[in-house]
Amino acid sequence: MDIRNQHYNLGEWNDLIERSLADSNSEPLLNLAGDPDPIYDAIFVGGGAAGRFGAAYMKAMGGRPLIIDAWPFLGGSCPHQACVPHHLFSEAAEELDRMRWFSDELFFPKFDSSRASILELVKVFLAGRGTAHAFMNWQTKEQLEAEYVLNAHATIIDKNTVEAAGRRFTTKNLVLSMGARPVDPEIPGLDLDGVYDFVSLVEELDYEPTQCVIIGGSKVAMEYGSFFNATGCETTIVSRSPLMRTKALHHVDEDLRTYVVDGMRKRGMTILEGAHPVSVNGTNGRATSVTVRLESGEEAELATDFVFLGTGERPNVGQAQEALGIDVGETGRVVVNKRMQTSVPGVYAVGDMIDGPMEMFKARKSGVTAARNIMGEDLEFDFTEYPDFLHTTYEVTWVGLTEAEARAAYDDVIIIQMPPYVEGLDTPNLPLPCAEGTMLYAFRKPELSGFQKLVVDGTSRKVVGAHHVGYGAKDAFQYLDYLIHRPEGLTIDTLGWMNELFLNPEHFVQLSRLRAGRKRLENL
Amino acid sequence: MDIRNQHYNLGEWNDLIERSLADSNSEPLLNLAGDPDPIYDAIFVGGGAAGRFGAAYMKAMGGRPLIIDAWPFLGGSCPHQACVPHHLFSEAAEELDRMRWFSDELFFPKFDSSRASILELVKVFLAGRGTAHAFMNWQTKEQLEAEYVLNAHATIIDKNTVEAAGRRFTTKNLVLSMGARPVDPEIPGLDLDGVYDFVSLVEELDYEPTQCVIIGGSKVAMEYGSFFNATGCETTIVSRSPLMRTKALHHVDEDLRTYVVDGMRKRGMTILEGAHPVSVNGTNGRATSVTVRLESGEEAELATDFVFLGTGERPNVGQAQEALGIDVGETGRVVVNKRMQTSVPGVYAVGDMIDGPMEMFKARKSGVTAARNIMGEDLEFDFTEYPDFLHTTYEVTWVGLTEAEARAAYDDVIIIQMPPYVEGLDTPNLPLPCAEGTMLYAFRKPELSGFQKLVVDGTSRKVVGAHHVGYGAKDAFQYLDYLIHRPEGLTIDTLGWMNELFLNPEHFVQLSRLRAGRKRLENL
C-alpha cells in the first residue's frame, strides 16, 4: 500500500495501524520517494527508538535513510509494550500508593482495593497506545521526512541488500536496530498459563491476578512489582542478588537503596533476596505456585495465581548474525565500537542490540551516532557514564558516584543530604525533604517524604554524585548529568549560586549554598 | 532564656516554639556566644529566608553575624504562612483535580466533594508547620553555628545599634530582612468577617467557604484560587489585568498563558479580567457579596461567603526608615544597588524588602550577597533575569524569552513544542506531551496532558526560552536557567546530545535531537 501521497491525520493513522495489526494478511505500508532503484545511505532494520532517531538525524543531515519495520508503526516496543505502559503503570502505582496511605484521611475516601485492577489498566493502555504510534508515523513522514516501509518483515540478504514487502532495497550501510525481547530463566513450568513477562502482560492478560510471584530482580521486576502490589495484588519478588545490587545497575548508593527497598517492604511487598527460582508448578495447565530455594538453602513453595518474569532481555539478533557474520558477545549483544560499528564494515548495531543500559537515551543516541558516522562525522558515543532511574511508587534517580565510590576515590568527601547527615536527630519524623508530590506525606507521614544526597569532593569542591528518591527531580538529573560530567564539572559554589525554584524537589541548590561559604567544606 | 548550651532535638524545639507562640509573655530565646559586648559584622534584622541564609553564609566565611527575629523561629513567613502552605495546598489541588477528572473511572472512586475541605487542609498545615520551624532553629544553631535572638522584637537605634530582648547589640553593618506583608486594595468592606489574605487564611479561618471571590490577579490569586476551586468552593477571580499579563510576571508566553487560563476555566473557575472591585458588602458584620465593575463598565454583585485578597505585598519597613533615613521607593520597597546596599553606608536591605520578584531564590541570594559584600567580596547580584513558576492545578514554569519576545529580537526563531507546531493536526486528542503526572491524562483525557515549548534562535542555534505546563519539570528549570544564561549559552546541539531520562516531563532533549542534524533549523 503506497501511502506516499496520503497525508493522514492522527485519527486516520490510528485506524490504519489498528486495521493492520488486526489482520495478519494486511499489506505493507510504503512511504517511499518513488525513484527507481535508489541506493540508500543506510537501511535501518527496525524503526524503534534507535532506528527512528538514527534515520531522522541522517535525513536532517541531508542523507537518505530507509527504515523497515515488521510492525505497522514506528517507535518499536517502547510505546507498544515497554516504556510507555511501564510509565502509565508507575503513575498509577504512585497514585494508588497515595490513596492507600491516606485511606479515609483528609479528602481521600476509604481505599477500595476492589477498584484497583491490573487488568483494567492494561486495557487502558491497549485502548490508548495507538495514538502514540499514529503520532510517530505522522511525525516521521510529515515533519522528519524519512522514508519507511512498515508492516513488512525484513530479510537481510547481505550488508548492502535487504528484502521486504516483496522488494529488494540497496544500501551503502546497514544499521541493525531490531531491539530486544524478554529472556526467560531456565526453570520448568514457564509454559503454564498465568506466566507473563512485560510483553505478554499487555498482549495477553485476561484475568485479575490476586497474588504475584516475580522471578528476577531487574528494574522491570521492581517497577512492575511495585505496580502490582499497589493495586492490591500480594507481591513477592524472588531475586538472586539483593535488589539494586545487580550488575545491570551501577552507582547505586547504599542509603538510597535502603530507602527504596525498605519502602517497598513497608508497602507490604515480600522481597526474597539471595533466592533462586526452582520451578513454576501448576494444575490443569495453570500456574499455582513457584518453588524457590531460599538464601538459607531451604526450599519454599509460594502459592500464586500470577507469575511475572523480570529476568532481563536479549537482543533480537535473528538472521542478521547468519547473513552477515557479525560478532555477537556471550550475552547475545552485538559487539560494536564507540562508533556503533560491528565487526563487519558498513554494518552498525544500535539500541538494545548492543551492550550498555537498555534505556532510551542510549537507543536514540546510538542510532544517531551510527547515522553521523555514516554521514562522514567521526563521532564516538561513550555510554559508560549516564544518569539512571527506576520507579517503585517513587521516582528514584541517580547520577555519578555513590558515597562509597567517592570515598574510595577522594580523600575528603562531603555529604549534603536530606534528612541531614547527623546522628541523634529524629529524622523519621522530620518532614524533610518535602516538595511537590511529598507535601502531604511530609505533613502527615514524614517518613515517606523521600531521600536525597549530594556527594562532593571537598578538595576540588566538585559535585561527584547526586541521588534522589521522591518526585519531580528526574527531569533535572538530565542536566545534572551534563553539568557534573562536563570538563569543568559543577562546583558546590556554582550550584549554590543557581536560582532555585522553591520548593524544588531536590534541595541541592540551597543546601549547597548553606555550605559554599566555607573554605573547608563540611557535611550537612 | 539562654539556650546556648541546650542541644534540643527536633521534638524539644517544636515544644519550645509552640509554647512561645502560645504565650504572648514568653521569653526571648538567646543563642549567643556569651562574650561581653561583642561587635558583630552584621545584625540581620529578620531571620526569614534572606536573613538566615545571609547569616549562615557570613558565618561560613568566618564572619560574625547575629540574627534577631520577633518570631520564636527562623525561616520567616515562608514555613509559617506563605510558601510552605501554598505548596501543600497546591499539591492538594493537583490531587483533587485528578480525583475529580477521574471520578468513578478506573481506580478512582466517585468524587465526594464533601470530603474536600479548605478548613481541614489549613488545620493539617497548622498541625505540621512547627516541625519545619524546629528544623531551622536546630540547623542554624547546630550545623550552621549562627548566633540568634528569637521571640524578641528588634528596635533599630542607629545603623550600629539594635535593641532586643532588653539588650543593646553593636554591629558594624545592618541587614534589613524584615520581609513583607499582604497589601489590601483600597475598597470599603475589608474589615468584614469572611475577608482573608494568605496570612489570615492560615491564622484565622474557622468555617468552610462554599463560594469565593478573589480580588486581584497575582500568583497568590491564581494559586490559592485554583486550590479553593479544586476543593469544590465555587471560585471567581476579579482581576484588573488579564491573568499572567501583570507587571509582576515577565516572559509569559501567550500559548502557555492560554493553556493555563483556559485550564482554569475548564475546571469551572470564573475569571473576570479587566474587572475592578468596588466594595465588599456584608450583613451582620459578615461579607456576603462583592461589587465589581466589569470590563463592559457595568456593575455586578457577586454573592459569596468568602473573599480572598490576592493583590500583592508590601515590605515591612517599619521604624527602620525613620531610624536610618534610608531611601524607600514609591511602592514601599527599599532602594538598593546590586550589592544590596541602601542609601545609608553600612545598611543593607534584602529579600522581600527590595524590588524584584518576591521569590525564594532572590530572598536567599540577596541575603548572601549582602553577607559577601560585608565580608569584603565585591559581588553584584542581578535578578533581572530568572526562571519563574506558578501553580494552578498544574506546575507552570518558564525561563528566558517568550516566542513573541524572541521574534522581536531575532530574525530566525525556531519553535519546538509539544503538541507540535503544526496546523491541521488533531492536537487536542493527541496524548502528547505525556510523562509522569500526565500519563493517566494522556491516555484518558489527552487535552489535559500539558504544553511545552522551546524557543530557539535559529542563527546562533541557542535556546533563548523554555516554557512548560505539566508536572515534574520545575526542578529542571533551575538548571536550564543556568545553562541558557551562561556566557556560551545552550545550543540545540548540546541540548540534543544530553542523556534524557525517559519519559522526561519536558521532552526538550529528544525533540532538539530530532532537529539538530539540520544546518538550517526548522520548527517541530
Side-chain angles (χ1 to χ4, degrees):
Chain A
M1 181 177 176
D2 180 3
I3 57 160
R4 184 64 173 181
N5 297 316
Q6 305 296 323
H7 297 283
Y8 297 127
N9 67 23
L10 296 178
E12 291 162 339
W13 262 123
N14 211 338
D15 290 346
L16 180 56
I17 292 167
E18 294 295 347
R19 283 203 312 275
S20 301
L21 282 171
D23 174 6
S24 58
N25 293 317
S26 56
E27 282 181 80
L29 307 176
L30 305 177
N31 172 36
L32 298 169
D35 48 335
D37 302 319
I39 299 177
Y40 291 97
D41 288 308
I43 292 178
F44 291 81
V45 184
R52 192 174 89 95
F53 268 68
Y57 209 96
M58 177 174 279
K59 180 67 187 174
M61 290 178 84
R64 187 161 185 190
L66 173 68
I67 305 170
I68 304 177
D69 202 291
W71 269 324
F73 54 83
L74 294 164
S77 61
C78 165
H80 201 61
Q81 297 163 335
C83 12
V84 173
H86 145 46
H87 280 83
L88 177 67
F89 300 154
S90 290
E91 180 174 311
E94 176 192 333
E95 190 66 26
L96 285 164
D97 189 48
R98 198 173 283 115
M99 289 169 77
R100 249 176 216 289
W101 284 109
F102 286 105
S103 173
D104 212 16
E105 263 186 70
L106 306 178
F107 52 81
F108 294 87
K110 194 160 161 49
F111 187 75
D112 175 2
S113 71
S114 74
R115 289 196 74 104
S117 159
I118 299 170
L119 185 59
E120 186 179 32
L121 280 156
V122 165
K123 286 180 180 164
V124 167
F125 169 68
L126 290 174
R129 72 176 169 185
T131 50
H133 297 338
F135 179 74
M136 283 192 260
N137 285 12
W138 171 84
Q139 185 193 53
T140 308
K141 180 171 185 291
E142 308 296 341
Q143 288 193 306
L144 307 175
E145 299 171 8
E147 293 173 70
Y148 52 72
V149 176
L150 303 180
N151 210 25
H153 187 75
T155 304
I156 296 165
I157 306 300
D158 61 37
K159 69 190 185 113
N160 300 109
T161 319
V162 179
E163 276 186 2
R167 294 167 68 150
R168 278 201 166 204
F169 296 95
T170 306
T171 183
K172 295 180 193 161
N173 299 276
L174 203 56
V175 184
L176 306 177
S177 44
M178 288 107 78
R181 62 182 185 287
V183 62
D184 292 347
E186 292 185 353
I187 58 168
L190 300 189
D191 53 338
L192 291 164
D193 288 346
V195 180
Y196 292 85
D197 56 31
F198 70 84
V199 172
S200 54
L201 177 80
V202 297
E203 300 294 350
E204 296 167 18
L205 188 74
D206 57 3
Y207 68 103
E208 187 62 32
T210 64
Q211 279 184 307
C212 174
V213 173
I214 296 184
I215 296 175
S218 64
K219 273 191 193 184
V220 165
M222 293 178 67
E223 294 176 330
Y224 281 76
S226 295
F227 163 56
F228 300 149
N229 185 70
T231 67
C233 178
E234 213 177 276
T235 300
T236 301
I237 294 185
V238 177
S239 175
R240 295 178 191 228
S241 310
L243 294 189
M244 302 187 78
R245 272 203 214 124
T246 59
K247 259 194 293 183
L249 296 185
H250 66 177
H251 301 319
V252 175
D253 186 86
E254 193 55 29
D255 288 338
L256 174 128
R257 190 188 99 80
T258 301
Y259 192 91
V260 170
V261 178
D262 283 0
M264 293 168 77
R265 290 204 167 100
K266 200 177 276 183
R267 286 158 174 88
M269 296 177 76
T270 303
I271 298 168
L272 304 176
E273 296 176 325
H276 292 238
V278 175
S279 61
V280 177
N281 320 305
T283 312
N284 300 328
R286 205 161 180 88
T288 51
S289 73
V290 177
T291 303
V292 173
R293 194 167 62 254
L294 300 174
E295 199 168 16
S296 63
E298 283 173 282
E299 285 203 356
E301 193 175 340
L302 311 172
T304 191
D305 59 4
F306 180 55
V307 178
F308 186 80
L309 307 175
T311 35
E313 291 171 69
R314 204 179 172 92
N316 296 318
V317 180
Q319 53 94 230
Q321 192 177 2
E322 272 170 59
L324 300 167
I326 48 172
D327 284 353
V328 174
E330 270 182 34
T331 57
R333 311 271 193 124
V334 178
V335 177
V336 292
N337 62 16
K338 287 184 178 173
R339 294 178 183 81
M340 308 305 130
Q341 292 162 327
T342 69
S343 57
V344 176
V347 178
Y348 295 73
V350 296
D352 291 347
M353 314 226 24
I354 62 173
D355 242 333
M358 291 198 175
E359 293 292 354
M360 190 53 95
F361 84 91
K362 194 203 74 179
R364 290 165 168 169
K365 286 176 67 173
S366 61
V368 170
T369 300
R372 291 170 71 170
N373 277 286
I374 290 168
M375 294 301 290
E377 263 193 76
D378 183 15
L379 176 74
E380 297 195 335
F381 173 35
D382 179 355
F383 46 78
T384 51
E385 291 301 327
Y386 51 90
D388 209 353
F389 75 99
L390 59 78
H391 294 91
T392 56
T393 48
Y394 293 103
E395 295 169 20
V396 184
T397 324
W398 64 98
V399 67
L401 303 184
T402 66
E403 181 177 342
E405 289 169 342
R407 292 200 187 281
Y410 301 102
D411 289 335
D412 184 26
V413 171
I414 303 301
I415 303 300
I416 290 180
Q417 67 172 41
M418 197 58 90
Y421 197 82
V422 69
E423 303 260 313
L425 198 70
D426 179 22
T427 56
N429 288 315
L430 179 67
L432 293 169
C434 69
E436 277 90 32
T438 61
M439 293 302 297
L440 286 164
Y441 286 143
F443 273 79
R444 300 285 281 208
K445 306 172 194 297
E447 78 280 11
L448 304 180
S449 75
F451 173 80
Q452 46 193 256
K453 179 193 278 194
L454 198 67
V455 184
V456 179
D457 167 26
T459 308
S460 69
R461 305 175 73 88
K462 287 182 185 174
V463 175
V464 297
H467 309 271
H468 187 266
V469 187
Y471 305 100
K474 196 173 118 182
D475 205 75
F477 272 67
Q478 304 172 134
Y479 304 107
L480 277 170
D481 170 59
Y482 168 78
L483 289 165
I484 73 174
H485 289 123
R486 67 185 173 161
E488 67 268 39
L490 176 65
T491 64
I492 192 172
D493 308 282
T494 300
L495 180 57
W497 201 242
M498 290 188 187
N499 297 317
E500 68 267 39
L501 293 178
F502 192 74
L503 258 172
N504 30 353
E506 42 78 10
H507 304 341
F508 297 149
V509 173
Q510 60 265 36
L511 294 179
S512 293
R513 189 179 303 140
L514 285 176
R515 280 307 193 208
R518 297 181 70 98
K519 275 200 190 126
R520 197 187 171 288
L521 296 177
E522 282 207 11
N523 296 327
L524 190 71
Chain B
M1 180 176 177
D2 180 2
I3 58 161
R4 183 63 174 182
N5 297 314
Q6 306 296 324
H7 298 283
Y8 298 127
N9 67 22
L10 296 178
E12 291 162 341
W13 262 124
N14 209 338
D15 290 346
L16 180 55
I17 293 166
E18 294 296 345
R19 284 202 312 275
S20 302
L21 282 170
D23 175 6
S24 58
N25 292 317
S26 55
E27 282 180 79
L29 308 176
L30 305 177
N31 172 37
L32 298 169
D35 48 334
D37 303 320
I39 298 177
Y40 291 97
D41 288 308
I43 291 178
F44 291 81
V45 184
R52 192 175 88 95
F53 267 68
Y57 210 96
M58 176 174 281
K59 179 68 187 173
M61 290 178 83
R64 186 159 186 193
L66 173 68
I67 305 169
I68 304 176
D69 202 292
W71 269 323
F73 54 83
L74 295 164
S77 63
C78 164
H80 202 60
Q81 297 163 335
C83 12
V84 173
H86 145 47
H87 281 83
L88 177 67
F89 300 154
S90 290
E91 180 174 309
E94 176 193 333
E95 190 65 28
L96 285 164
D97 189 48
R98 200 173 282 116
M99 290 168 77
R100 251 176 214 288
W101 283 109
F102 286 106
S103 174
D104 211 15
E105 263 186 71
L106 305 178
F107 52 82
F108 294 87
K110 194 161 163 49
F111 186 75
D112 176 3
S113 72
S114 74
R115 290 197 73 101
S117 158
I118 298 169
L119 184 58
E120 186 179 33
L121 279 156
V122 165
K123 285 181 180 164
V124 167
F125 169 68
L126 289 174
R129 71 177 169 183
T131 51
H133 298 337
F135 179 74
M136 284 193 259
N137 285 12
W138 171 84
Q139 186 193 53
T140 308
K141 180 171 184 290
E142 307 297 340
Q143 289 193 306
L144 307 175
E145 299 171 8
E147 292 171 71
Y148 52 71
V149 175
L150 303 180
N151 210 26
H153 187 76
T155 304
I156 296 165
I157 306 299
D158 60 40
K159 69 188 183 117
N160 301 110
T161 319
V162 180
E163 275 186 3
R167 296 167 66 151
R168 278 204 167 202
F169 297 96
T170 306
T171 183
K172 295 180 194 162
N173 299 276
L174 204 56
V175 184
L176 306 175
S177 44
M178 288 107 78
R181 62 182 186 287
V183 61
D184 292 347
E186 292 184 353
I187 57 169
L190 300 188
D191 53 339
L192 291 164
D193 287 345
V195 180
Y196 292 86
D197 55 32
F198 70 84
V199 172
S200 55
L201 177 79
V202 296
E203 301 295 348
E204 295 168 19
L205 188 74
D206 57 2
Y207 68 103
E208 187 63 32
T210 64
Q211 280 185 308
C212 174
V213 173
I214 296 184
I215 295 174
S218 65
K219 273 191 195 184
V220 165
M222 291 178 68
E223 293 173 335
Y224 281 76
S226 295
F227 163 57
F228 301 148
N229 185 69
T231 67
C233 178
E234 213 177 277
T235 300
T236 300
I237 294 185
V238 177
S239 176
R240 293 177 192 227
S241 310
L243 293 189
M244 303 186 77
R245 271 203 214 125
T246 58
K247 259 195 292 183
L249 296 186
H250 65 177
H251 301 319
V252 175
D253 186 87
E254 192 56 28
D255 288 338
L256 174 128
R257 189 188 100 80
T258 301
Y259 191 91
V260 170
V261 178
D262 283 359
M264 293 169 76
R265 290 202 166 102
K266 200 178 277 183
R267 286 158 174 86
M269 295 177 77
T270 303
I271 298 167
L272 304 176
E273 296 176 325
H276 292 240
V278 175
S279 61
V280 177
N281 319 304
T283 314
N284 300 327
R286 212 168 171 85
T288 51
S289 73
V290 177
T291 304
V292 172
R293 195 167 62 253
L294 301 174
E295 199 168 16
S296 63
E298 283 173 282
E299 285 202 357
E301 193 175 341
L302 310 172
T304 191
D305 60 3
F306 179 56
V307 178
F308 186 80
L309 307 175
T311 35
E313 290 171 70
R314 202 179 174 91
N316 295 319
V317 180
Q319 53 94 230
Q321 191 176 4
E322 271 170 60
L324 299 167
I326 47 172
D327 284 353
V328 174
E330 270 184 33
T331 57
R333 312 269 193 125
V334 178
V335 177
V336 292
N337 62 16
K338 287 183 179 174
R339 294 178 183 81
M340 309 303 130
Q341 291 162 327
T342 67
S343 58
V344 176
V347 179
Y348 296 73
V350 296
D352 291 348
M353 313 224 25
I354 62 172
D355 241 333
M358 291 198 177
E359 293 292 352
M360 191 53 94
F361 84 91
K362 193 203 75 180
R364 291 166 168 167
K365 285 176 67 174
S366 62
V368 170
T369 300
R372 291 170 71 170
N373 278 285
I374 290 168
M375 293 300 290
E377 264 193 78
D378 182 15
L379 175 75
E380 296 195 335
F381 173 34
D382 179 357
F383 45 80
T384 51
E385 291 301 327
Y386 52 89
D388 209 352
F389 74 100
L390 59 78
H391 295 91
T392 56
T393 49
Y394 294 104
E395 295 170 20
V396 184
T397 324
W398 64 98
V399 66
L401 303 185
T402 66
E403 181 176 341
E405 288 169 341
R407 291 199 187 284
Y410 300 102
D411 290 336
D412 184 25
V413 170
I414 303 300
I415 302 301
I416 290 180
Q417 67 171 41
M418 196 59 89
Y421 196 82
V422 67
E423 302 262 314
L425 198 70
D426 179 22
T427 55
N429 288 315
L430 180 68
L432 292 170
C434 70
E436 278 88 33
T438 61
M439 294 301 298
L440 287 164
Y441 286 143
F443 273 80
R444 300 284 281 210
K445 305 171 194 301
E447 78 279 12
L448 303 181
S449 75
F451 172 80
Q452 44 193 258
K453 180 192 276 193
L454 198 68
V455 184
V456 179
D457 166 26
T459 308
S460 68
R461 303 175 74 87
K462 287 183 185 174
V463 175
V464 297
H467 309 271
H468 187 267
V469 187
Y471 305 101
K474 196 174 118 182
D475 205 75
F477 272 67
Q478 302 172 137
Y479 304 105
L480 278 169
D481 170 58
Y482 168 78
L483 288 165
I484 74 173
H485 289 122
R486 67 186 172 160
E488 69 267 40
L490 176 65
T491 64
I492 192 171
D493 308 282
T494 300
L495 180 58
W497 200 243
M498 290 188 188
N499 296 317
E500 67 268 39
L501 293 178
F502 192 76
L503 258 171
N504 29 352
E506 42 78 8
H507 303 342
F508 298 150
V509 173
Q510 60 264 36
L511 294 179
S512 293
R513 190 180 301 140
L514 285 176
R515 281 307 193 208
R518 298 180 70 100
K519 275 200 190 123
R520 197 186 172 288
L521 296 177
E522 283 207 10
N523 296 327
L524 189 72

